[in-house]
Amino acid sequence: MQDKGINSTFKKIIYESSEMVFLADDTYPYSIFYANESFEEQLGENLQERNLVGLGLDINAYIFKEELVLTHNQKDYSFRLELPQDSGSNYFLFYKGKEVKTHGLPSKKEAYQFFTSKLDLIAIGKHDHLTYLNSMVLPVLGFEPSELLHTSLCPFVHEEDLDALQNLWKTHLKSQDPAFHTFRFKGKDEKYRYLECSIQFTQESFFVIGRDVSGKIKAQEDEQEFFSLLDQLPALANSLSWKFSKTSQEFDSIQAEELFYQKFLVSESQRAQVKNQLVGYLNSLDSNSVTKGIYRGDFQLISGKRIEVIVFFPKSNPSALWGVFWDNSAKELLEREVLIQKGIWNESPEALMVVDEQGAISSMNKEAYHLFGIESDSRINHLSDLNIFFEEENLWSDWISSSKGTTHTSRFSTSLIGEEKPSLTLEVAAKRMKIDGVEYVLLSFRNITDQISLEKTIEESSDFLMNLTEQVPGGLYQLVLNSEGQMNFSFLSKGINGVLGISQEEIHQFTDISASIAKVHPQDLPTVIMSSVASAKKMEPWQCQFRVKSGEKDAPYRWVLGAARPQSLENGDMVWYGYLTDITKQKEFESKLDEARLAAEKANQIKSEFLSMISHELRTPLNAISGSVYSLFHENPTDSQKSALNTINFAVDNLIIMINDLLDFQKIEAGKLTIENNPFQLKGLLDQIIKGLSFHAADSKNKLNLHLSEGLDIAVKGDKTRLSQVLNNLITNALKFTHEGNVDVKVELQGQIRNKVRVYFEVKDTGIGIAPENQEKIFNDFDQVRPTFSTKYGGTGLGLSITRKLLNLMGGKIALESAVGTGSRFYFDLEFERAEEELVPTQDNKRKPLAFDKLHLLMAEDNEVNALVLGKIIKKWGYTYERVENGLEAVEAMKTGTYDCVLMDIQMPEMDGFEATLAIKQFSDTPIIALTAAAKLEIMEKIDECGFEGFVAKPIDAAELLKKIKEVISEKNYKA
Ligand code: ADP
């Protein structure tokens, strides 16, 4: 170390210090002329220039400082600086040198940079003034730093913020915690800025970092004010807040725009137009024309909807508009909804009340007031106020408590008493409900007086019907057949007890059908079941008579009539409503009646057989008489003999007619007479009838005339025999009761529709006529005008009765016009079907003429007289014959001989005519004519069945028999 006059104090410091020490000249570049070892180790070795300038230091800046910080190789070193005390020294002492270990702190240069940067306001102060201020003050407050240094700050702080700031200083000075505070500070332009500062207080000084937050604060104020706009809207308004930028001409978000369309119901198609309208409207607003930055107005959308608008002009952003669009529709809707609900409540036809759990009435509707007859302005506060209306007191507590803890409706029935009103029956329904967490009970009151009285009426009429059913003889029931096939009685009246013989107790268990079926007589069971099944299938009423075992095991069966009407129900079940009634007595009566009927039928049969027998017995002698007279006529009788023979003939004819009439009458009575429907020639038949009677007419000295209209030469279908019988009857009567007069038979074709013809028949005479009082009588059975008539004119009084009956069977009706002494006119008309097919040709036209002069006949007749008479007749015709006496012989004779025709009696010994004919027909086609006195229908039918070709009744009319013989032979030849 050079001794440059270093004083002893310095020397002491240099030698005693373990830390870095060096000495430097006091002249530029302040060369380091001494450095200790520590300095050399840490710094000296790396120094390129060993002077203070080399260390980057201008010593002048440190003249008044005690400490010096050196930066070298990015490390800071602090040194104490000592200036020589005496004026003669020309060097500085740097000692207590050590590396400053401050982690992360900037280097001196960086620190300087930081402090002088324009990031934030940085200031250091003491008491009320600043000792340092960086250059940020100029852009923030408009001051040069120097203008604010060392001058009191109080006048610059906003007077409203001053107290707070002083308090801050006081409190934080003690705790030395950093403080954060925002206050207003006046700039050079006299306007306040908000400075947001963090301040560190120390005993002597304070450090401030601050920044201008006026913009942020303003924006916050704007936001606050913007939000306060919403408070100005009516409650429940349909609103939408938005921000609009005049620069971009857009709302702050797409959602805001979309929401606008949705809230104010702008259709898709109108959106572009509405957007233009909104933008145009907002652009037209000018902040200068509004007070306090708020504008209120409204505009109409193109849909016609009116939108209210509040626009706020934010101070923090002059190019922006903030605002709210709104309308009152939602509120109006809600208000309407409330009104409707109120209306429903008030006008409900049901009387309603809402009460709390203690019975205090919260609300009561009009009908409730009306029901209790209370004026709507009189205050009813509690259900107990209604006690006077009810027969029992404090019923209400039951209504309320019953509904507790359930969601069900509890119902009560109670009676109202009123001074003026008649007593009413009410149904009270109680139901719990919770509104805003509070439990209430909703009560409804319904007047059920009418319903109760209706129920009573129904009960009464049901009782009435029950009484009625019990009084009905027999029993009523309802039987149900369900879809599973089970049949049960759903109702049985008491009367069933009597019919089925079951006790009143039993009837209750008597629901199953099987119990009643078990009572039915086994023989009747199939009928009962089959008829029931048929009724169910066809849905037809059921009726059945059957026997049931009523009462004890060995009790007799009783007859029961069951009837029911089925009905199918909607559910698919089938129901029978029916009755059972005891018809045992009726059955007994019926069986007696049956016996009587059988006896009557038997009697009738006996009568019929008697008539048949009598006629047979009568015919046989008549046959003999008639045959004998016929032969006598051919044996040249004298005139007187002739006259006697004529008388006999007349009597015999009458008897024959009478017997025939009797047989016909009996047949018609028995309903056994059938009308045939075979083709015949109408005109031919009429000619034949007239021809047949012409002899009779001549006999009675009358003129018999036939008048036929045009178009009667036709074939029709009908019963030729019965028509002949009718006309014969009428003409015979006319001839009988006319003397030397005229009998005119008139037949006219009245009309033709399709294949049907209507023909009018009339028989008119100029005879004795019939008195009016007898005109109806003569058609009765066995009736003649006078009984004595029969002696004079003959007859049985059956002819007209039979005529009328026959015509009825043929579909005609006989009528009569007559005057005593002038004559009578019998007339009728008949309808015939025209015969299409060609008629069997008659002998005289188509058929080749047959020779009937020589015929050989076989006669089978057991009765000697009959055989004699018939033999004489045959001989008279010039024919030959052979006689056999029974059927057996007839068959034998047929096998050996050849005959043109067989005349076969029916009743014969050994073998009767039927059997014989059947046998002959096996091997021969010779025609066989039956001869019988029995005109009974069964015999006729049998004659047909056995294959007879013809039939002639006994007593034999010789002419008729000859005609028949010729007919059957012609027929056979024709067929051949
Ligand atoms: P009868 O077989 O006795 O002739 P009818 O029944 O044919 O019986 O006739 C009944 C009665 O009607 C006859 O007895 C007669 O008194 C009267 N009568 C029938 N036809 C005529 C007629 N053409 N002129 C007058 N009287 C008649």
Side-chain angles (χ1 to χ4, degrees):
M1 185 173 78
Q2 293 166 323
D3 196 341
K4 278 191 171 182
I6 297 166
N7 66 34
S8 54
T9 320
F10 275 32
K11 277 180 184 165
K12 196 174 184 261
I13 292 169
I14 290 166
Y15 291 117
E16 284 175 6
S17 182
S18 57
E19 292 150 331
M20 288 188 289
V21 178
F22 72 92
L23 292 167
D25 281 345
D26 62 352
T27 46
Y28 191 85
Y30 316 114
S31 302
I32 297 169
F33 64 88
Y34 170 76
N36 71 352
E37 219 170 295
S38 175
F39 180 85
E40 290 303 339
E41 273 170 23
Q42 293 183 57
L43 276 166
E45 285 171 6
N46 301 318
L47 282 178
Q48 283 165 1
E49 290 175 66
R50 287 180 66 88
N51 51 43
L52 290 185
V53 175
L55 283 168
L57 203 69
D58 176 6
I59 196 65
N60 289 329
Y62 294 93
I63 294 297
F64 302 105
K65 292 182 182 169
E66 287 173 347
E67 194 181 21
L68 162 85
V69 177
L70 274 180
T71 305
H72 184 72
N73 277 355
Q74 304 196 350
K75 285 180 183 169
D76 285 343
Y77 302 92
S78 82
F79 288 87
R80 303 281 299 171
L81 171 64
E82 198 68 43
L83 301 174
Q85 298 296 317
D86 48 348
S87 52
S89 302
N90 51 355
Y91 57 86
F92 309 114
L93 170 69
F94 296 88
Y95 67 106
K96 284 195 175 176
K98 58 188 177 214
E99 194 184 330
V100 184
K101 309 254 180 185
T102 48
H103 275 301
L105 270 177
S107 65
K108 202 173 93 186
K109 205 172 164 187
E110 283 169 340
Y112 181 78
Q113 248 173 14
F114 173 74
F115 272 90
T116 55
S117 74
K118 295 197 173 174
L119 283 172
D120 278 319
L121 266 175
I122 298 174
I124 302 168
K126 263 185 183 162
H127 305 298
D128 66 341
H129 63 269
L130 296 175
T131 54
Y132 171 76
L133 189 58
N134 73 353
S135 58
M136 262 309 277
V137 73
L138 184 62
V140 174
L141 294 169
F143 292 112
E144 285 296 336
S146 57
E147 287 178 279
L148 283 181
L149 285 177
H150 306 292
T151 173
S152 172
L153 294 173
C154 292
F156 294 94
V157 176
H158 195 288
E159 59 179 342
E160 289 172 10
D161 299 340
L162 207 54
D163 282 351
L165 207 59
Q166 275 167 351
N167 278 338
L168 192 82
W169 178 67
K170 277 179 199 157
T171 50
H172 282 79
L173 193 62
K174 284 173 204 152
S175 71
Q176 299 197 348
D177 288 337
F180 301 96
H181 194 64
T182 305
F183 57 93
R184 279 162 285 181
F185 198 94
K186 205 194 296 179
K188 200 168 182 179
D189 56 2
E190 291 289 309
K191 287 182 182 161
Y192 285 99
R193 274 85 166 151
Y194 279 93
L195 296 182
E196 185 188 70
C197 298
S198 47
I199 309 166
Q200 175 76 58
F201 293 96
T202 64
Q203 276 306 328
E204 318 75 68
S205 53
F206 59 86
F207 306 94
V208 180
I209 301 174
R211 62 177 62 133
D212 183 359
V213 290
S214 304
K216 195 170 125 194
I217 296 284
K218 246 189 214 170
Q220 275 172 359
E221 282 173 357
D222 280 345
E223 289 288 348
Q224 263 173 19
E225 215 147 317
F226 177 51
F227 281 114
S228 71
L229 289 185
L230 295 176
D231 298 338
Q232 300 177 26
L233 299 184
L236 300 168
N238 176 32
S239 68
L240 167 72
S241 52
W242 46 267
K243 288 178 178 172
F244 178 74
S245 161
K246 277 185 163 179
T247 344
S248 68
Q249 292 288 302
E250 286 293 344
F251 289 94
D252 58 341
S253 72
I254 290 287
Q255 286 91 328
E257 201 181 310
E258 190 60 35
L259 261 178
F260 178 89
Y261 300 139
Q262 284 173 16
K263 285 214 168 200
F264 301 109
L265 311 169
V266 178
S267 70
E268 200 84 44
S269 59
Q270 291 180 341
R271 290 185 177 183
Q273 250 180 303
V274 168
K275 170 87 187 279
N276 274 341
Q277 185 191 7
L278 289 179
V279 171
Y281 179 79
L282 294 177
N283 279 328
S284 71
L285 302 178
D286 183 358
S287 66
N288 297 327
S289 61
V290 298
T291 45
K292 288 193 175 174
I294 292 172
Y295 165 83
R296 286 165 188 279
D298 61 33
F299 64 93
Q300 200 168 11
L301 293 181
I302 50 167
S303 61
K305 195 176 183 68
R306 185 150 289 282
I307 303 287
E308 309 273 345
V309 62
I310 299 177
V311 181
F312 171 67
F313 296 87
K315 292 184 215 95
S316 54
N317 186 356
S319 72
L321 290 177
W322 298 355
V324 187
F325 293 124
W326 60 276
D327 69 9
N328 247 343
S329 57
K331 190 184 166 203
E332 281 160 12
L333 270 177
L334 201 78
E335 279 170 357
R336 256 191 74 212
E337 182 69 13
V338 170
L339 272 177
I340 290 170
Q341 298 292 348
K342 261 193 187 166
I344 293 172
W345 169 258
N346 249 330
E347 301 305 327
S348 164
E350 197 109 321
L352 300 170
M353 250 183 229
V354 174
V355 298
D356 70 9
E357 286 194 282
Q358 283 68 46
I361 299 172
S362 307
S363 182
M364 183 163 164
N365 76 351
K366 260 195 203 169
E367 189 55 32
Y369 279 104
H370 177 73
L371 179 74
F372 292 106
I374 313 167
E375 292 295 322
S376 59
D377 50 1
S378 55
R379 214 32 234 152
I380 298 277
N381 296 317
H382 198 274
L383 283 175
S384 56
D385 297 343
L386 299 173
N387 274 342
I388 47 159
F389 296 108
F390 294 100
E391 281 175 356
E392 275 178 71
E393 258 193 22
N394 289 334
L395 285 168
W396 60 269
S397 58
D398 288 348
W399 307 338
I400 291 178
S401 57
S402 72
S403 61
K404 197 167 184 128
T406 73
T407 49
H408 306 300
T409 306
S410 323
R411 291 177 197 278
F412 302 86
S413 169
T414 179
S415 294
L416 258 194
I417 38 165
E419 282 159 30
E420 294 136 50
K421 294 177 177 181
S423 169
L424 295 180
T425 310
L426 285 190
E427 186 195 69
V428 184
K431 192 171 192 324
R432 286 262 154 177
M433 58 185 193
K434 219 174 200 174
I435 301 171
D436 269 354
V438 184
E439 290 238 12
Y440 292 93
V441 180
L442 173 66
L443 296 174
S444 81
F445 302 85
R446 197 144 59 89
N447 181 356
I448 52 165
T449 317
D450 289 349
Q451 190 182 326
I452 298 265
S453 81
L454 193 74
E455 276 169 13
K456 220 169 150 191
T457 316
I458 292 171
E459 203 178 301
E460 277 167 11
S461 44
S462 157
D463 285 350
F464 167 75
L465 285 174
M466 283 309 284
N467 273 331
L468 203 65
T469 53
E470 279 165 25
Q471 298 315 316
V472 170
L476 303 181
Y477 65 84
Q478 188 187 40
L479 181 67
V480 180
L481 167 66
N482 68 17
S483 49
E484 279 139 38
Q486 290 164 330
M487 263 188 154
N488 288 312
F489 286 107
S490 46
F491 170 77
L492 285 167
S493 79
K494 275 189 188 163
I496 292 288
N497 301 5
V499 181
L500 296 182
I502 42 175
S503 69
Q504 187 59 41
E505 290 72 50
E506 274 178 287
I507 204 163
H508 293 300
Q509 297 132 32
F510 204 78
T511 50
D512 193 344
I513 185 88
S514 53
S516 56
I517 281 183
K519 287 186 159 285
V520 177
H521 194 293
Q523 274 177 14
D524 297 342
L525 204 54
T527 326
V528 172
I529 291 174
M530 294 311 285
S531 58
S532 308
V533 170
S535 157
K537 274 192 178 161
K538 297 183 190 162
M539 285 299 287
E540 277 173 358
W542 171 76
Q543 195 169 35
C544 190
Q545 296 185 359
F546 50 94
R547 283 160 288 177
V548 295
K549 168 85 69 187
S550 69
E552 295 308 301
K553 251 189 177 176
D554 37 0
Y557 278 97
R558 299 190 66 75
W559 274 100
V560 166
L561 166 70
R565 227 165 233 287
Q567 193 181 332
S568 58
L569 300 184
E570 273 178 11
N571 63 359
D573 288 0
M574 185 111 122
V575 177
W576 281 266
Y577 300 93
Y579 65 88
L580 292 178
T581 184
D582 190 328
I583 53 161
T584 313
K585 286 218 171 90
Q586 186 188 326
K587 275 283 176 188
E588 282 166 7
F589 179 69
E590 269 176 20
S591 85
K592 278 181 190 155
L593 217 60
D594 253 10
E595 280 168 27
R597 184 176 53 80
L598 284 174
E601 271 172 13
K602 182 89 184 151
N604 209 27
Q605 197 186 343
I606 291 168
K607 180 189 100 184
S608 162
E609 275 164 10
F610 173 74
L611 276 174
S612 162
M613 192 262 289
I614 283 288
S615 60
H616 181 79
E617 293 307 316
L618 283 174
R619 274 170 193 249
T620 314
L622 275 175
N623 209 12
I625 298 165
S626 165
S628 302
V629 171
Y630 185 80
S631 349
L632 284 176
F633 262 120
H634 291 84
E635 284 172 12
N636 298 324
T638 63
D639 283 351
S640 64
Q641 281 172 329
K642 259 187 193 168
S643 151
L645 284 174
N646 271 334
T647 311
I648 298 168
N649 234 358
F650 176 71
V652 168
D653 279 355
N654 263 332
L655 270 175
I656 290 172
I657 290 169
M658 188 183 82
I659 289 167
N660 284 341
D661 278 359
L662 270 173
L663 289 170
D664 273 346
F665 173 76
Q666 184 212 342
K667 241 195 200 174
I668 295 171
E669 280 294 278
K672 285 177 178 167
L673 190 126
T674 47
I675 298 296
E676 287 181 5
N677 200 30
N678 295 322
F680 66 91
Q681 285 290 343
L682 189 57
K683 184 173 172 299
L685 180 76
L686 294 167
D687 286 339
Q688 220 174 347
I689 291 169
I690 297 298
K691 205 170 150 196
L693 289 168
S694 54
F695 172 75
H696 194 9
D699 224 23
S700 58
K701 300 200 170 93
N702 285 315
K703 274 191 189 159
L704 175 62
N705 310 307
L706 176 66
H707 309 275
L708 292 177
S709 77
E710 285 291 305
L712 284 171
D713 198 2
I714 49 171
V716 293
K717 276 185 179 173
D719 196 327
K720 163 183 163 182
T721 320
R722 296 300 168 189
L723 179 62
S724 313
Q725 193 178 347
V726 166
L727 288 170
N728 261 323
N729 247 344
L730 294 174
I731 300 168
T732 316
N733 274 352
L735 294 171
K736 193 154 70 173
F737 298 105
T738 308
H739 189 63
E740 295 184 0
N742 286 321
V743 172
D744 293 295
V745 179
K746 194 159 138 195
V747 183
E748 278 176 4
L749 182 69
Q750 278 195 323
Q752 174 164 359
I753 300 167
R754 281 189 290 274
N755 66 335
K756 297 248 168 95
V757 287
R758 183 154 278 282
V759 183
Y760 171 80
F761 298 86
E762 180 186 291
V763 178
K764 194 174 159 194
D765 64 54
T766 53
I768 60 169
I770 306 159
E773 65 272 20
N774 294 325
Q775 287 183 6
E776 182 51 41
K777 241 165 92 182
I778 54 165
F779 292 102
N780 292 343
D781 305 337
F782 302 102
D783 238 322
Q784 291 177 320
V785 170
R786 266 175 285 147
T788 50
F789 261 43
S790 59
T791 48
K792 187 178 174 190
Y793 299 103
T796 52
L798 275 177
L800 283 179
S801 149
I802 291 169
T803 298
R804 175 153 79 174
K805 282 174 182 157
L806 285 176
L807 279 174
N808 283 348
L809 287 172
M810 288 192 273
K813 194 174 177 219
I814 188 137
L816 163 66
E817 268 175 23
S818 181
V820 176
T822 316
S824 313
R825 181 167 81 96
F826 289 85
Y827 58 95
F828 59 90
D829 53 34
L830 288 176
E831 195 178 74
F832 298 99
E833 200 183 314
R834 286 200 63 166
E836 300 282 319
E837 70 268 39
E838 209 172 283
L839 278 173
V840 177
T842 53
Q843 282 174 7
D844 27 70
N845 43 47
K846 298 275 159 57
R847 240 178 264 183
K848 73 172 191 293
L850 277 171
F852 288 116
D853 35 333
K854 285 250 177 290
L855 293 178
H856 185 54
L857 309 175
L858 178 67
M859 179 210 299
E861 173 64 73
D862 60 325
N863 188 297
E864 287 303 326
V865 183
N866 285 350
L868 185 78
V869 175
L870 188 56
K872 280 188 174 181
I873 293 172
I874 294 171
K875 278 187 194 155
K876 282 282 161 307
W877 295 333
Y879 301 161
T880 53
Y881 72 94
E882 215 167 280
R883 179 196 166 201
V884 289
E885 288 178 27
N886 60 46
L888 270 180
E889 286 177 11
V891 179
E892 280 314 304
M894 282 304 288
K895 281 182 184 163
T896 48
T898 314
Y899 307 96
D900 293 304
C901 181
V902 184
L903 306 177
M904 180 81 77
D905 184 27
I906 295 298
Q907 283 153 317
M908 287 186 293
E910 302 287 332
M911 181 189 270
D912 67 13
F914 297 127
E915 265 184 84
T917 304
L918 278 173
I920 294 166
K921 286 292 163 192
Q922 299 289 317
F923 58 86
S924 165
D925 63 349
T926 308
I928 307 175
I929 294 170
L931 306 174
T932 178
K936 286 205 323 186
L937 194 83
E938 304 92 86
I939 290 177
M940 295 300 194
E941 278 167 5
K942 218 164 168 196
I943 284 171
D944 265 359
E945 279 167 26
C946 295
F948 285 96
E949 271 73 15
F951 156 77
V952 172
K954 285 181 176 177
I956 286 159
D957 180 326
E960 193 191 336
L961 180 60
L962 178 61
K963 198 174 130 201
K964 189 54 96 188
I965 291 169
K966 288 179 179 175
E967 221 173 85
V968 297
I969 295 173
S970 308
E971 191 77 23
K972 182 197 155 197
N973 289 352
Y974 176 70
K975 276 186 190 158

